[in-house]
Amino acid sequence: MSIKVRFAPSPTGYLHVGNVRTALINWLYARKEGGRFLLRLDDTDEERSRDEYAQAIEEDMRWLGLDWDEIVRQSHRYERYHEAVRRLKDAGRLYACYETPEELERKRKLQLARRMPPVYDREGLRLTEDQRKAYEAEGRRPHWRFRLDEKARVEWDDMVRGHTGVAMDSLSDPILIRADGTFLYMLPSVVDDIELGVTHVMRGEDHVTNSAVQVQLFEALGAQAPIFAHVPLLSGASGEGLSKREGALSIRALREEEGIEPLAILSLLARIGTADPVEPRTSLDELIAGFSIDRFSRATAKFDEQELLNLNAKVLHHLPFAAVRPRLEAMGLEGVDEAFWLTVRPNLKRLGDAVDWWQIVNGPVTPVIGDEGFIETALG
Ligand code: GLU
């Protein structure tokens, strides 16, 4: 079987350590197994998706060294999703619903008050032709739900979680198409995974329920579900969620404000949440060699910024001259040589610190006429 994985960010913000971890796991798996890595931009939410973020994602991925074999944008593939919609409608698996968000919320509250699970009551399935027409005459437009097979229990052998199962009667039929005709995440993802030949879907544990729904969508579209791996989400050093700190932990901020090396970020993200120790890696090849998806555990992975800073120093202390030379030259260290690098390297926390050392070693020497008329020298 030829392996194909994908990393599917939504271009609604910058990449941060959380989604880069998902990207990295997919990338390492592909590179280790000789598979293909697809970068898919999930940009069907046209209001929130922005071109500048899509470009930033590509830029950040390149900076990290995570190259892709193929790239697609969902906004270029609407025709394919409409085709799938026709098939689901023909099979009686997609049905129109007319409730407003407020009406849905009211139903939910009522169910909770009656101690019932807040599962959609499938009113849309029971509408008569006349009721539908009446709604349309009021100016309402339908949203569309996928009719789950609620009697099933969807099960799979997850590469990280082991045997996983979801009772489908605990879930609401998911909305696939909004009332304004735009697609939510669920269907386009499955259509792409099928048509682009994705064999392994590796992503955060927050998608376990989506996976169960998607297994039924794969089947409804006549395809077989891929192999899943759901990794636990990242938390902060003391177990807190990271979502509020996404800005500070964006790849951009780590690069531009903190001066962090790509290999420090990758070395840390490749190992937290696994049974193996974090080690400074100085090449992508080393990272690939040290990777195994079997080592990921079900425990949350703790991301500690201090650990990243320490690791950054260690990575620098091991980087060969060839790996940093062009960057040192770009910082103005003209004529920098290996001897200089090997001398200052153990003192660096960030590569930018090398500029100060360069000044100390080679800075322009300004002659100063001393009080007694002697010529003294001072570092410029
Ligand atoms: N765009 C989705 C997300 O970022 C992709 C999830 C998936 O991997 O299918 O959550």
Side-chain angles (χ1 to χ4, degrees):
M1 174 173 72
S2 62
I3 287 174
K4 188 164 179 183
V5 296
R6 85 290 197 285
F7 169 52
S10 304
T12 54
Y14 293 119
L15 289 185
H16 51 82
V17 290
N19 46 25
V20 165
R21 178 166 179 253
T22 306
L24 178 64
I25 292 170
N26 279 282
W27 188 86
L28 288 172
Y29 190 73
R31 296 296 172 251
K32 182 118 198 182
E33 303 295 328
R36 291 173 64 76
F37 177 80
L38 161 72
L39 176 58
R40 185 182 89 197
L41 296 168
D42 285 3
D43 56 353
T44 61
D45 184 341
E46 289 177 0
E47 235 163 73
R48 293 177 57 229
S49 299
R50 293 219 218 111
D51 219 44
E52 96 191 56
Y53 289 133
Q55 279 171 25
I57 288 171
E58 288 189 39
E59 203 179 294
D60 291 350
M61 290 286 285
R62 273 196 204 99
W63 178 74
L64 289 163
L66 304 181
D67 55 348
W68 50 90
D69 303 303
E70 198 180 332
I71 180 166
V72 293
R73 281 191 181 214
Q74 292 197 320
S75 57
H76 295 173
R77 292 180 41 81
Y78 287 137
E79 247 176 68
R80 304 307 311 147
Y81 312 145
H82 284 296
E83 162 65 20
V85 163
R86 280 191 287 276
R87 291 173 54 200
L88 292 175
K89 280 186 186 168
D90 289 348
R93 297 296 296 272
L94 201 62
Y95 64 97
C97 299
Y98 289 86
E99 296 94 339
T100 62
E102 295 73 28
E103 286 166 351
L104 287 173
E105 184 52 24
R106 227 175 295 138
K107 280 189 194 183
R108 213 179 69 88
K109 285 203 175 128
L110 215 63
Q111 284 170 316
L112 290 174
R114 291 183 186 147
R115 299 188 182 282
M116 287 160 63
V119 173
Y120 178 60
D121 63 7
R122 293 185 157 170
E123 184 182 323
L125 264 183
R126 296 187 302 271
L127 292 177
T128 63
E129 198 48 41
D130 284 348
Q131 284 171 314
R132 227 187 309 268
K133 279 193 184 135
Y135 278 137
E136 298 271 347
E138 263 178 46
R140 294 201 194 200
R141 290 288 162 264
H143 53 274
W144 296 82
R145 288 190 192 255
F146 175 58
R147 186 171 57 75
L148 293 171
D149 172 2
E150 79 282 8
K151 295 200 189 73
R153 186 179 161 78
V154 171
E155 301 186 355
W156 68 88
D157 284 316
D158 195 288
M159 291 172 86
V160 174
R161 295 165 58 84
H163 193 75
T164 303
V166 177
M168 300 309 275
D169 62 1
S170 65
L171 306 181
S172 295
D173 290 341
I175 300 173
L176 301 190
I177 308 169
R178 298 185 186 87
D180 65 4
T182 57
F183 288 98
L184 280 133
Y185 151 76
M186 201 66 86
L187 178 70
S189 179
V190 170
V191 172
D192 291 346
D193 287 342
I194 295 173
E195 296 189 4
L196 305 175
V198 170
T199 57
H200 292 66
V201 167
M202 303 178 157
R203 56 190 175 190
E205 203 172 54
D206 50 334
H207 282 287
V208 166
T209 313
N210 286 342
S211 294
V213 168
Q214 290 182 334
V215 165
Q216 291 204 339
L217 266 173
F218 276 102
E219 286 165 1
L221 291 168
Q224 211 190 335
I227 294 166
F228 290 110
H230 292 91
V231 287
L233 300 183
L234 288 189
S235 74
S238 31
E240 74 280 13
L242 284 181
S243 59
K244 288 201 191 81
R245 301 188 43 226
E246 275 172 14
L249 297 177
S250 72
I251 299 309
R252 234 124 252 256
L254 293 176
R255 174 172 75 227
E256 286 162 16
E257 283 148 43
E258 304 290 337
I260 301 290
E261 295 298 304
L263 282 162
I265 299 173
L266 299 178
S267 299
L268 185 62
L269 294 179
R271 281 293 171 83
I272 47 178
T274 75
D276 299 317
V278 172
E279 291 162 315
R281 303 293 195 179
T282 51
S283 74
L284 291 166
D285 286 341
E286 257 184 73
L287 275 167
I288 297 167
F291 172 80
S292 165
I293 187 72
D294 303 336
R295 308 296 289 166
F296 281 77
S297 76
R298 295 193 62 174
T300 38
K302 292 200 172 165
F303 176 85
D304 181 349
E305 236 175 310
Q306 193 53 49
E307 194 176 4
L308 179 62
L309 293 176
N310 297 341
L311 196 58
N312 195 61
K314 286 191 196 147
V315 165
L316 282 172
H317 301 170
H318 288 93
L319 277 182
F321 179 56
V324 289
R325 181 183 188 156
R327 291 169 62 201
L328 293 173
E329 285 169 353
M331 287 174 184
L333 276 60
E334 246 170 79
V336 64
D337 59 14
E338 186 162 17
F340 169 82
W341 174 246
L342 295 179
T343 310
V344 305
R345 188 172 76 164
N347 303 301
L348 308 181
K349 286 204 166 89
R350 299 174 167 84
L351 190 70
D353 299 345
V355 176
D356 300 336
W357 288 98
W358 183 254
Q359 301 277 321
I360 292 167
V361 178
N362 295 312
V365 179
T366 321
V368 178
I369 310 290
D371 288 345
E372 276 113 52
F374 295 111
I375 293 181
E376 296 172 348
T377 55
L379 288 174

